[in-house]
Amino acid sequence: MPEISLALSLACALIYAARYAATDTETLPRSLVKTTAIFALLAAALSYGQTPPLILIGLGLGALGDLALSRRGEPAFLIGMAAFAAGHLCYAASFAHYAQTPGWAQILALACLLALLLSTEVWLAPRSGPLRWPVRAYTLVIGLMATSTILLAPAPFQTMIRLGAALFLLSDLLLGLALFIAKTPQARKTLALTLWPAYYLGQALILCGASLYWPSATP
């Protein structure tokens, strides 16, 4: 039943926030709790039976990315980044199917998004060392995902999708700050405690919004 999966997801999300989000220890319980929080969302969506396939695949890739990022080392980080990038592309492909010609509000939102993404060349890319090009590629991919949500055709629940995408984007920006900019343990802890709820709520809102949006949208 989707209710059980949703309850499990929320419980794991809260446990991770309270016990593990501010730590970088590599333990099996931490990895399991973090991964289960998203995987249980996927299980709920499968039970619900109304979520677009690419959204389901994207969410599954997010769970894989969480598992990889819960482990230490550059190879695990790159695997996690690749999994999330592929997930963003799945989301973007689904949302692009319902794109509309942008009006002035969408053009303004796209201009703000472009300015934000370009700003990473100033504060993020120069500090990411040998990961500069993977970080740049990932920034482009999440920008494509956010763009696709801005261009969504009017239909109920599009605001939920856009808010989810904005929170997902925020969580990635906070992760970049935590990994490459923050200088003190306290700063990294604060960023970690902030980015987890932004990420989890972002994924949940994208999933819920997409599941409710598709039946009411016209390609």
Side-chain angles (χ1 to χ4, degrees):
M1 294 179 64
E3 294 82 4
I4 296 175
S5 296
L6 287 174
L8 176 61
S9 174
L10 182 57
C12 287
L14 292 173
I15 291 170
Y16 187 83
R19 186 175 179 86
Y20 298 113
T23 70
D24 61 354
T25 55
E26 187 180 61
T27 65
L28 181 59
R30 181 175 184 268
S31 297
L32 287 175
V33 169
K34 186 178 187 182
T35 306
T36 302
I38 301 302
F39 187 78
L41 282 180
L42 174 60
L46 288 170
S47 299
Y48 186 56
Q50 194 167 282
T51 306
L54 283 175
I55 299 297
L56 295 174
I57 294 171
L59 194 62
L61 287 165
L64 175 61
D66 281 326
L67 177 61
L69 292 182
S70 70
R71 317 308 290 175
R72 287 182 176 175
E74 185 174 306
F77 176 79
L78 290 174
I79 291 171
M81 182 183 292
F84 276 114
H88 286 311
L89 290 175
C90 288
Y91 288 167
S94 275
F95 298 142
H97 186 61
Y98 293 90
Q100 65 171 349
T101 302
W104 285 110
Q106 287 75 36
I107 291 173
L108 178 59
L110 290 171
C112 292
L113 174 63
L114 179 61
L116 175 62
L117 297 177
L118 289 176
S119 75
T120 62
E121 283 297 305
V122 176
W123 61 267
L124 181 59
R127 296 173 174 83
S128 52
L131 295 174
R132 176 178 297 186
W133 282 104
V135 168
R136 281 173 167 160
Y138 185 83
T139 300
L140 174 62
V141 168
I142 195 172
L144 290 174
M145 189 275 287
T147 297
S148 69
T149 66
I150 292 172
L151 296 177
L152 275 174
F157 308 105
Q158 67 171 226
T159 300
M160 186 181 294
I161 297 172
R162 287 171 174 167
L163 178 58
L167 286 171
F168 207 154
L169 175 61
L170 173 62
S171 72
D172 279 326
L173 293 173
L174 293 173
L175 180 61
L177 288 171
L179 291 175
F180 303 114
I181 307 298
K183 300 298 184 182
T184 66
Q186 183 58 45
R188 288 190 288 271
K189 179 179 178 180
T190 300
L191 289 165
L193 289 172
T194 305
L195 74 86
W196 171 251
Y199 163 72
Y200 178 79
L201 288 174
Q203 288 277 41
L205 286 171
I206 289 173
L207 173 63
C208 293
S211 299
L212 297 168
Y213 174 90
W214 255 250
S216 62
T218 301

